[in-house]
Amino acid sequence: MGRKQDPSSSGEGGVKDLRSGTSRRLTMADVAAHAGVSRQTVSLVLAEKPGPSSDTRRAVLEAVDALDFRPDVAAQLLRSARSRQLGVLFSMEHSHDPLVVEALYDVAAHHEYSLVLSAAAPVRGVRSAVDELLGLHCEGVIILGLDVDEPEHLAEVARMVPVVEVAQRSGVTGVETVRTDDAAGTRLAVDHLVGLGHRDILHLEGGAKPGAPERREGYLYAMADHDLVEHVEILAGDFTEESGVVAASALLERPRLPTAVIAANDLAARGVVETFLRAGTGVPEQVSVVGYDDSRVAALHHLSLTTVHQDPVAMAELALEACAERLEGRRDRAHDVVLPPSLTVRSTTAHPRR
């Protein structure tokens, strides 16, 4: 009994192009489409590497048999050489990301890796960006502060190559995490303001952005620890300067301002400070303001923002070392590394006006 051929097959190791009527050599992409998996999964199965489940391996091998697929040995040998490239996916909206990316270049050079950068955008989700990085032969992927839109896809990628999230934790199985203790960060901000004599401390939150729920939680716990529950107030916002402008404008319409504002990040804090100053409200003379990240924005001379510091160099070192250790067989499971924050005190906080 002969082998069953796919209707579009043109014979051994080939497939007919139905549009042109000509034949072409079968590729791993054809096998992937037939098995309903990614091309990277087919590559792992054929190379007998760990990652894909037994059911997935069976589906791939059945597709290989059905299509009579014969790998291009020369192409396999070419691909077997390590690229020593790591993909870095970041958002252009976050003021902290450029600091981590800059630090990653130094660390990567030390470990003899190169970086391939990819920016996420509203019209380009995490999945498509990650797939593009894998298509460019990146051996690992580092994701900076981004919402994971398809966790199942990221889990599949993490079975193939090392994946490290920085400044976020999606909880996806097999994904490494390097992040700051964000709850502890806003606790530091509240402690600092209370130490100056503030009680009416408002938090401009970051919504559902990575790290924002933990920063909100830290604010709530710290206010409770200082017996200031009756002074708790949270305004909706995000990680943009515009959210700070909107929040400060709404506060200026009130008959009485809070004595201090803790913003979700430095960009939102900048929006708060500059809106207050344009309205003639002194910072910190009338309202103290604290940011989060300790980005370049915070250090601008005219802003000089008190802010919670995240260590971008430590994040970069730990993220890249996690990739290197997984690739070189020195680590076989994912870790969640949590770094302690610190507070950088500048000119936007002071004792409240009596």
Side-chain angles (χ1 to χ4, degrees), residues 9 38 44 56 105 159 208 215 221 247 250 276 304 351:
S9 175
S38 69
L44 287 175
T56 300
Y105 272 107
R159 288 193 292 268
R215 296 174 194 183
Y221 277 118
F276 280 155
S304 189
H351 297 283

Side-chain angles (χ1 to χ4, degrees), residues 238-279:
D238 55 36
F239 283 177
T240 65
E241 187 172 343
E242 290 75 13
S243 73
V245 171
V246 170
S249 300
L251 291 174
L252 287 168
E253 294 179 358
R254 297 182 179 183
R256 184 171 177 270
L257 289 169
T259 64
V261 174
I262 300 173
N265 76 342
D266 290 345
L267 288 177
R270 180 181 185 175
V272 170
V273 171
E274 294 187 347
T275 302
F276 280 155
L277 293 178
R278 283 195 298 269

Side-chain angles (χ1 to χ4, degrees), residues 63 79 98 105 114-115 155 188 197 205 215 297 299 328 344 351:
R79 283 191 295 269
Y105 272 107
S114 59
L115 302 181
L188 287 175
E205 67 168 0
R215 296 174 194 183
V297 167
E328 294 159 13
T344 302
H351 297 283

Side-chain angles (χ1 to χ4, degrees), residues 49-72:
K49 292 184 178 180
S53 66
S54 57
D55 289 342
T56 300
R57 290 181 185 279
R58 186 180 306 111
V60 170
L61 294 175
E62 287 175 354
V64 168
D65 184 62
L67 297 176
D68 195 18
F69 174 66
R70 298 182 182 180
D72 185 334

Side-chain angles (χ1 to χ4, degrees), residues 2-19:
R3 183 190 303 273
K4 186 177 179 180
Q5 289 280 355
D6 185 272
S8 61
S9 175
S10 64
E12 285 192 351
V15 65
K16 178 178 286 187
D17 188 321
L18 298 179
R19 289 175 297 180

